[in-house]
Amino acid sequence: MPIAQTIAIQSLVVNVQPYPWHIAPPLTELATLSEAEWERRLPASALRRIKPAMERRNAQGNLNAQANIKQ
């Protein structure tokens, strides 16, 4: 288990709350996210380590996997 999960404490401080669009975004949205929208949503985030094309690829792969499970 990552250390951040073992010591994470929910804060009431507004500055440290996640952006609403970071909480469970729909895969269909992530699979089609433009580079401009990605830049707008992740101005100073550790999530920037994954590039937009990689995020779209991962989201599309998950969508494909979900579709295969439903079949």
Side-chain angles (χ1 to χ4, degrees):
M1 177 179 289
I3 188 72
Q5 289 181 355
T6 61
I7 61 172
I9 299 170
Q10 188 172 6
S11 174
L12 298 176
V13 178
V14 175
N15 292 347
V16 296
Q17 295 298 316
Y19 294 118
W21 52 84
H22 285 187
I23 301 172
L27 287 174
T28 53
E29 187 177 299
L30 292 177
T32 59
L33 200 63
S34 70
E35 297 222 9
E37 183 64 13
W38 185 83
E39 290 286 342
R40 186 189 72 75
R41 288 184 178 197
L42 304 167
S45 172
L47 297 172
R48 290 182 65 86
R49 285 181 267 173
I50 185 169
K51 302 301 178 208
M54 293 166 44
E55 185 170 17
R56 286 190 297 267
R57 182 203 64 204
N58 292 349
Q60 189 60 55
N62 279 294
L63 285 169
N64 293 343
Q66 286 178 355
N68 288 337
I69 290 171
K70 291 178 182 177
Q71 291 179 1

